[in-house]
Amino acid sequence: MKSKIFVLVGALLGVLNGALPARASDWYVAPGGAGSGTSGAPFGRVQDALNVAQAGDTIIVRPGTYNETLTTIRAGAAGAPIVIRAEQGPGTVLVTALGRVATINHPYTIVDGFIFDGQYGPDRTIRVTSTANFLVLRNTEVRRASRNVLEIFGPTGVLIENCLIHHALQFDPIEGRLDAHGISAGPVHDLTIRNTEIHTFSGDGLQVDPGRSAPGWTNVLVEHSRIWLQPLPAAENGFPAGVVPGENAIDTKAGSGFPRATIVLRDIVASGFKDLPSSVPPNQAAFNLKENIDAIVDGVTVYDSEIAFRLRAPALVLVKNAVVFNTLKAVRYENDITNLRFWNNTIGVNVPTVFEAASASPSGLDIRNLLVLGPLPPEASGGSNLSVDAGAFVNAAANDYHLAAGSSAID
């Protein structure tokens, strides 16, 4: 009984001496502010709020343009991240600088509702270092870099959600087109890109681990997203109008000395990967999946491209529920790739070559339930594959490949 009394007394003394957990703070920022960060006297710079914010705090940024560069100062915590959000929602806050606009060095940071504009300066618009674990980038636009727009090194648990990533364009007067990716990731673990649009780049929409860095990457998920190129409507950062500057929607590299990397690509629309500059090697593809990876591609749509799927050993790839149309080649399989599973896919109008072998044998292919508008290719001689005419679909002329009532392809 005596020990319980001592515990109660100790707890009461702790309360009286201020030992209760500190309450999270809200810090306010507004253009032209010169105060201490309260709602009535906001800071004038976002960096001022970053300098004081602690784990669990929220930085609330009012509409306007902020000409500054941002760097995180300290970490949030699990269940108590540092949140930086636009007070009035996406598109109302522009943070801009010539080159690097933001560097995220610390874990448990949430960025919500911003526009980051690098003005085509000679740097990445946002750099996410390997210590920035569990970053959330949400409802945010990142644009205009002469390098990668969003460069992620090797953190764990990054989520990019409801974002717009665009205009990564690097042009050298002597060398011409140079790679600048929408998103470049190093040896990441548990990277998720969801409900995001990536366009207008002179490299790839997403390139994973161009340096094949230790300890290797794994568990990348891209879903419900769109990645595209088109001829530039006007001259842009050294590129003339009419040029399609980039290479692939998604390109993988993975070192052979590490465990197999895993990637899932789900419900992605990719278009425009063709008509590339002469400085780009031939055989450009929407999905260029290669090296030491296990890849699942599910429910994607590819059109207006040179190649939909360029697949190279030793990658192990499953493509299912895909639709391909207006594309020169649906699949280019290379380097004696084995265990390439191509299941439940539809080939629509204007796909003159369904499969192209490049130093590879059809014996490495497992093709099931392939539906082709036109004749079946030799690789698809199995009994589950079917050749149909346009009447099998609701409206093939409008690229609606849902099955029409009574279609021979049903079941």
Side-chain angles (χ1 to χ4, degrees), residues 83-336:
V83 178
I84 313 160
R85 66 174 178 85
E87 183 178 52
Q88 294 187 20
T92 60
V93 173
L94 169 63
V95 184
T96 184
L98 184 63
R100 182 91 57 85
V101 180
T103 303
I104 302 173
N105 291 316
H106 296 84
Y108 295 106
T109 301
I110 297 176
V111 180
D112 191 341
F114 286 73
I115 301 170
F116 294 99
D117 187 336
Q119 302 176 24
Y120 288 127
D123 205 335
R124 295 82 183 146
T125 302
I126 295 180
R127 172 172 283 188
V128 180
T129 65
S130 296
T131 51
N133 300 320
F134 308 108
L135 165 70
V136 177
L137 187 67
R138 180 179 288 134
N139 302 319
T140 288
E141 179 181 351
V142 191
R143 69 192 189 196
R144 296 207 308 161
S146 290
R147 303 293 187 270
N148 307 321
V149 169
L150 176 57
E151 186 166 276
I152 305 169
F153 283 78
T156 294
V158 170
L159 171 62
I160 300 167
E161 185 172 49
N162 301 325
C163 289
L164 175 61
I165 313 292
H166 65 102
H167 284 85
L169 296 172
Q170 185 176 8
F171 186 88
D172 182 88
I174 297 174
E175 298 184 52
R177 185 204 70 88
L178 296 173
D179 278 353
H181 308 303
I183 300 175
S184 176
V188 292
H189 286 224
D190 306 320
L191 168 65
T192 297
I193 301 169
R194 177 180 296 132
N195 296 326
T196 287
E197 184 173 0
I198 307 171
H199 70 82
T200 314
F201 40 83
S202 60
D204 305 313
L206 167 65
Q207 186 174 91
V208 188
D209 204 10
R212 303 170 180 85
S213 310
W217 60 275
T218 197
N219 198 22
V220 170
L221 170 64
V222 185
E223 64 179 358
H224 315 313
S225 294
R226 183 181 176 213
I227 307 174
W228 57 273
L229 293 172
Q230 67 178 18
L232 292 173
E236 192 86 28
N237 203 36
F239 289 89
V243 166
V244 177
E247 295 187 70
N248 312 111
I250 295 178
D251 179 53
T252 62
K253 295 178 170 64
S256 59
F258 311 124
R260 257 183 195 277
T262 59
I263 185 168
V264 175
L265 309 174
R266 181 187 300 135
D267 185 25
I268 300 170
V269 176
S271 65
F273 296 92
K274 64 178 184 178
D275 300 331
L276 300 163
S278 59
S279 61
V280 176
N283 298 316
Q284 301 310 298
F287 297 97
N288 191 27
L289 306 178
K290 61 185 186 294
E291 302 191 9
N292 191 37
I293 68 167
D294 284 354
I296 297 175
V297 184
D298 187 0
V300 307
T301 300
V302 182
Y303 63 95
D304 290 347
S305 295
E306 181 181 352
I307 303 170
F309 306 103
R310 185 179 181 188
L311 310 172
R312 186 188 310 168
L316 300 176
V317 182
L318 166 62
V319 179
K320 60 182 180 178
N321 306 314
V323 176
V324 179
F325 59 90
N326 291 337
T327 292
L328 292 177
K329 304 165 189 175
V331 179
R332 177 182 166 94
Y333 58 103
E334 305 180 4
N335 294 18
D336 288 322

Side-chain angles (χ1 to χ4, degrees), residues 331-376:
V331 179
R332 177 182 166 94
Y333 58 103
E334 305 180 4
N335 294 18
D336 288 322
I337 192 168
T338 60
N339 197 28
L340 169 51
R341 295 163 292 165
F342 200 71
W343 297 349
N344 310 322
N345 299 307
T346 298
I347 307 299
V349 299
N350 300 325
V351 184
T353 301
V354 180
F355 294 99
E356 180 183 63
S359 301
S361 166
S363 63
L365 307 183
D366 177 7
I367 303 169
R368 307 180 192 179
N369 302 319
L370 177 64
L371 186 60
V372 180
L373 178 54
L376 285 174

